[in-house]
Amino acid sequence: MTASTRTAPVLVRSAEAETLQDGALSLITLLADAGATGGALTANKATLHKGSPGAPAHFHTAATEMFLVLEGSVRILLGEQVVRLEQGDFLTVPPTVPHAFAPAAGTEAELLVVFTPGLHRFDYYRLLERVHRGEASVEEIHASSQRYDNHYVDSPVWRAELARV
C-alpha cells in the first residue's frame, strides 16, 4: 500500500450511522463507503424483517460481495442454487456470480455486507430509499446500473424461492 492510498481508520458509531429504509420491510445502515476507506471496501448493515423480499437477483463486475449473518437466518441465491445461512455464517460472492438475498421464510435477519474493492454505493442506497418513498422511479435504478456496478438479472430459481411461504 502506498502512502497515497492510505487512509485513516474509519469509526462509525451506531447512534450516528445513517439508516435508510429501502423497502417496507428492510433497512440499510451505511457504515463505510469507498471514499472513506481509500477504495479498500464499502460496508453496510442490512436489516431484513419477516416477509422482506431482500435484494433481487443481480451481479457485480468489479467487486466481491461478502455476507456475515449477525442475527437470524438468510437465504441467498448463488448462481442457480439457493443456500441458507445462519447466525455467524460467512459467504463471499465473487464478481459476475448472480446472487440475491432475503430472510429465510418466516424469519428476520441482520447482515453485515462488505464489498471489496470498495464501490461508491451510498448514493445507490439513497436512491433505493427515494424509490421506496415515491420520490424516484425504478427506471432510475436500472439507469444507474453501470455507475453503481449493480446489474439485475432474471432468476427463475430465485422467483420460485421467494414464492415459498
Side-chain angles (χ1 to χ4, degrees), residues 46-134:
T47 303
L48 306 168
H49 298 290
K50 287 181 186 178
S52 172
H58 64 284
F59 67 91
H60 311 288
T61 60
T64 294
E65 189 169 2
M66 297 173 272
F67 301 91
L68 174 64
V69 180
L70 302 172
E71 293 181 18
S73 179
V74 65
R75 49 194 164 163
I76 297 185
L77 172 73
L78 291 173
E80 293 296 314
Q81 69 173 349
V82 176
V83 298
R84 184 170 172 148
L85 303 180
E86 304 295 338
Q87 183 174 347
D89 290 348
F90 176 76
L91 171 71
T92 65
V93 180
T96 73
V97 174
H99 58 285
F101 59 92
T107 69
E108 297 188 348
E110 190 168 80
L111 310 169
L112 174 64
V113 181
V114 178
F115 294 86
T116 186
L119 303 170
H120 294 279
R121 294 184 58 85
F122 283 10
D123 283 341
Y124 170 74
Y125 299 133
R126 292 177 183 117
L127 173 60
L128 294 179
E129 182 177 58
R130 287 195 314 276
V131 169
H132 170 67
R133 291 181 175 178

